[in-house]
Amino acid sequence: QVQLTESGGGLVQAGGSLTLSCVHPGRTLSSDVMGWYRQAPGKGREFVAACRWSDTRTYYADSVKGRFTISRDRAEKTVYLQMNNLNTEDTAVYYCNLGTTPRDPGRYWGRGMQVTVSS
């Protein structure tokens, strides 16, 4: 059973920063891709960022490129999403995901957490 545990969501003012964390305590495979997705009110779930456990390649949605940074700590089995220069359009529920292909979510999801950016 894969369990992904997220933390770090909350309320922040526009222009501020927030760091999300996702712990994957189970067995990790070299093919694993850890991703972040988000769903804003009234919209579908969209890809935000992804990385691989096996190497340093990272992937970003155009809307967050240059503002968000995804990273992973293999020893802690934790993936981070550093979000800088947040704006109100970043308000959404953010989900951690475990899959095998960047930008294409796998079957395992975290519960999601709210990120609200106030103007």
Side-chain angles (χ1 to χ4, degrees), residues 93-104:
V93 176
Y94 284 70
Y95 297 89
C96 181
N97 177 266
L98 170 62
T100 58
T101 306
R103 308 179 191 277
D104 186 14

Side-chain angles (χ1 to χ4, degrees), residues 36-110:
W36 288 97
Y37 292 76
R38 67 186 182 186
Q39 186 165 16
K43 296 186 178 181
R45 197 170 294 188
E46 65 172 0
F47 168 77
V48 176
C51 67
R52 298 180 181 274
W53 287 119
S54 60
D55 57 47
T56 58
R57 283 179 288 178
T58 56
Y59 310 84
Y60 296 96
D62 288 343
S63 59
V64 306
K65 201 173 292 183
R67 300 188 298 123
F68 290 12
T69 302
I70 189 169
S71 61
R72 85 275 193 274
D73 185 325
R74 293 177 64 177
E76 297 295 328
K77 295 188 175 181
T78 301
V79 175
Y80 302 96
L81 185 67
Q82 172 69 42
M83 305 186 294
N84 297 326
N85 194 21
L86 286 159
N87 58 61
T88 55
E89 293 183 350
D90 295 315
T91 294
V93 176
Y94 284 70
Y95 297 89
C96 181
N97 177 266
L98 170 62
T100 58
T101 306
R103 308 179 191 277
D104 186 14
R107 60 185 289 194
Y108 300 107
W109 294 92

